[in-house]
Amino acid sequence: MRIFEPHAHMFSRVTDDYERMALCGVRAVLEPAFWLGQNRTSVGTFVDYFDTLLGWERFRAQQFGIHHFCTMALNPREANDDRVNADVLAVLPRYLEKDSVLGVGEIGLDDQTPKEEKFFAEQVQLAIRHDLPVLVHTPHRDKKKGFERCIDILKESGIPMERVLLDHGNEITIKLTRDLGCYSGFSIYPNTKMDPLRMSKIVVEYGVDRMIINSACDWGVSDPLMIPRTIVKLQQARVPDADIEQLVWKNPIAFFAQSGRLQENDLAWPASADLRETFEGNSVLRGQDPAALQP
Amino acid sequence: MTDHVPDLTGHAEALLPDGARTWWNQALARARDEGPEALPELFPALRRRIGTTGLSAGMFRETPYLVDLDAWRACDAAGHVLLEAAGSHDGPATDLFLRGDLEERTIVLKAMTLRPISPDTIALLGEVQRTNTVRHVEAGVLDANLAVRALEAGGPMTGFSQDDLHRLVLKLAFLDLPVARAYGVLDHATAELSQMLEDFAQEREAAGRPVWADTWRFLGRAAIATSRERLAAGLAHAQPEVRAAARDGVQAFGDTDLLKQLDA
């Protein structure tokens, strides 16, 4: 089954992960800009990170047939940091026009501070101005209240709810989001937040309309194969293949196609890398085809 | 006196896709009104708004420029027009390249080949020298005479010297790109460059790998101790492109015995 992985921090993963994802059916990956495991102290480190998401990570993914997209934003954690917050917002507009940028994200709330709310609201306005959907990070602490506050800010902004993906949901938050008209996202982890079995129960209860699942794989204990693992649980729960395909392929494409920069036809075939090229002077290929591309 | 900038507006607008006219008019107006500050948001959209249809406009020959517009796309021409409309010769092109994606970088480099030599040109030739993204080398120095214009603009004054040109030619050799597409470069052959290419050729031969065919052209034009021997061997080489390059080199070299072999 083809998979569109709509939330994976591949910047933190090794190249073997791309190969394993490709072998499990991942055809496309979307990488939201986020915190990097430690705080940054100048805007230049954000700019270099953004450029990596547009260039090097795309090249790395393409070697394994995986189309790579991203969303750009000042993340809520670092929205609290005056060393970087305003400067990052100032450089965002040019990045929001790039071809492979399909949305604004991760924005939202983390510790639920006034500064987070300010930069969240400002970035929703940026999304409206650049005609892009938003990927919203919701707090891992005091989650229900955080979801409610995110929803209030989004409603005040005027952005259409179908252009909103409220991520990191669970059994409690689905009750808040299912009738809003937004997309509901669930990040599946090996031990925390949401797991494949719990996710299969949510799908059985609520269906797959505007539901999106992801691995959110990052720097911590996480697994880039959580969508394939969840597919197994969904099949065991006798969810029809058509519904699973909608959940892991059609829904994320429909959501990010609202950017006007993605069509399902673009993903009809695996990505291809021009293997005569190295990337920006980096001779990582050394003339070799990655194993996943070999017949 | 500063060189003029050719106007490619007609080429860009002739290929505007359906529905792109409004965006293009707004983009041009923003560039004119806001200057270079408008460009970072306009350049990323050029490929998807204007498209990649080839210009099919033939060779542009207007002193000091020599550029094959058949190697240009509609979005390249549009980028060139926007840079000029923004009214600044220095600064924005380098920024657009450094913060650009692969397409933007290609567009910026193409545009530089039809703009006067400036500090931007020198900075971007430096980027071309450091990249192994082949299409950026092609966009910056092939199908155009940019490298030679940069060299002839004054070397030390602009920062692109004969040494830089030598390194650029070695880059073409490393990537197996034909020097014939870097217009005028072959006219700047030197014995030092020939020796660099000869050393590179010997490394390749020791490794059992092919040698850049244009090596023979340089060794014929700027003689070094091994030129005659290499040219003679080149005339009988198994690869047709090496034989052709060797014949070209022999004609420039002017050795009577070798010239007789051409006639034989």
Side-chain angles (χ1 to χ4, degrees), chain A residues 90-136:
Chain A
V91 302
L92 273 178
R94 73 186 311 172
Y95 287 99
L96 298 182
E97 286 297 319
K98 308 288 187 189
D99 277 347
S100 62
V101 176
L102 305 186
V104 177
E106 295 179 54
I107 53 176
L109 300 177
D110 196 64
D111 270 337
Q112 305 183 52
T113 68
K115 274 187 189 167
E116 289 178 15
E117 291 198 6
K118 171 182 181 290
F119 286 102
F120 179 20
E122 287 185 20
Q123 292 186 94
V124 176
Q125 292 309 315
L126 267 182
I128 292 171
R129 187 186 141 206
H130 290 270
D131 201 18
L132 291 170
V134 294
L135 171 52
V136 179

Side-chain angles (χ1 to χ4, degrees), chain A residues 191-210:
Chain A
N191 304 315
T192 59
K193 297 174 186 171
M194 177 57 60
D195 65 37
L197 182 60
R198 285 166 57 202
M199 189 66 229
S200 70
K201 291 176 179 171
I202 291 174
V203 167
V204 168
E205 182 171 356
Y206 293 97
V208 294
D209 185 34
R210 285 178 286 107

Side-chain angles (χ1 to χ4, degrees), chain A residues 51 97-99 129 278, chain B residues 41 47-48 99 104 132:
Chain A
D51 289 338
E97 286 297 319
K98 308 288 187 189
D99 277 347
R129 187 186 141 206
T278 54
Chain B
E41 287 189 44
R47 190 202 61 83
R48 67 176 180 272
R99 302 273 81 89
E104 288 172 85
N132 279 342

Side-chain angles (χ1 to χ4, degrees), chain B residues 74-119:
Chain B
C75 57
D76 300 324
H80 182 272
V81 173
L82 285 184
L83 260 182
E84 184 59 13
S88 175
H89 289 288
D90 288 328
T94 302
D95 173 69
L96 290 169
F97 179 90
L98 292 176
R99 302 273 81 89
D101 60 21
L102 293 175
E103 285 293 349
E104 288 172 85
R105 291 179 174 199
T106 302
I107 293 168
V108 169
L109 291 169
K110 283 280 185 198
M112 299 312 288
T113 66
L114 270 178
R115 292 180 61 80
I117 300 302
S118 70

Side-chain angles (χ1 to χ4, degrees), chain B residues 224-247:
Chain B
I224 56 174
T226 55
S227 283
R228 192 180 187 289
E229 183 186 354
R230 182 167 289 282
L231 287 167
L235 293 175
H237 200 279
Q239 290 176 258
E241 62 268 30
V242 171
R243 290 200 301 276
R247 292 176 69 86

Side-chain angles (χ1 to χ4, degrees), chain A residues 151-169:
Chain A
I151 291 165
D152 287 345
I153 291 170
L154 289 161
K155 283 182 174 174
E156 289 164 15
S157 75
I159 192 169
M161 290 308 285
E162 68 268 20
R163 295 172 77 83
V164 173
L165 169 52
L166 278 163
D167 212 349
H168 311 321

